[in-house]
Amino acid sequence: MAKRQHKPVCTRHELHEASYLTRKICFKNQPVSAIIFAFEDNAYAYINHCMHMHRPLNCEQDAIFDDTGKYLRCSMHGFIFDPKTGECQSPVCFGQRLQALRLEEIDGTLYFAEKHLTLID
Ligand code: FES
């Protein structure tokens, strides 16, 4: 069996139990936070960094979705993002995207599938 490059991020079960999870990572030599969540039964991960004023989406509230549950929402100024693509839907940053992080699922456990990423915790 091939040696895994990364520690597990979480199990699929843990992801469904929580509305979202955060992990500290080192990505391209920068320590940053990642958000991981399930949406329409798929798992997604992004760098937790709103491109508007460079704040984490959950900086003001312990939430990353809007009230409809259809869009990611930055709690600082309320900009919304497509959870499947990370694309901003709000006018000021329309079309800009959150940095997506690829995930890989093996036997119900999720791993980051990015070359320049190390899971810190
Ligand atoms: S910092 Fe995210 S909407 Fe302003």
Side-chain angles (χ1 to χ4, degrees):
M1 182 184 225
K3 188 171 180 264
R4 295 230 50 79
Q5 185 184 0
H6 302 298
K7 295 187 279 186
V9 176
C10 63
T11 65
R12 187 49 104 140
H13 178 73
E14 288 169 326
L15 199 57
H16 283 285
E17 289 290 301
S19 57
Y20 71 102
L21 298 170
T22 59
R23 293 288 184 264
K24 287 184 185 151
I25 60 172
C26 186
F27 184 61
K28 297 181 179 173
N29 293 323
Q30 296 293 320
V32 291
S33 167
I35 49 172
I36 307 100
F37 58 89
F39 183 76
E40 294 180 354
D41 219 31
N42 289 312
Y44 296 90
Y46 295 97
I47 300 285
N48 191 11
H49 183 103
C50 178
M51 68 280 293
H52 178 222
M53 288 192 175
H54 311 292
R55 302 293 301 270
L57 271 62
N58 57 343
C59 63
E60 293 289 315
Q61 281 180 336
D62 183 17
I64 60 166
F65 277 91
D66 70 356
D67 290 343
T68 70
K70 292 183 182 170
Y71 293 98
L72 296 173
R73 178 182 179 278
C74 179
S75 59
M76 190 70 198
H77 305 106
F79 284 23
I80 58 172
F81 305 84
D82 182 331
K84 294 180 180 175
T85 64
E87 188 173 88
C88 186
Q89 307 296 302
S90 297
V92 175
C93 300
F94 187 82
Q96 293 182 47
R97 290 173 188 245
L98 301 172
Q99 171 69 56
L101 300 169
R102 282 177 292 131
L103 291 166
E104 165 180 52
E105 183 171 347
I106 300 172
D107 298 332
T109 299
L110 294 162
Y111 300 86
F112 285 119
E114 295 284 347
K115 241 183 178 176
H116 305 286
L117 186 154
T118 307
L119 189 55
I120 296 173
D121 71 358

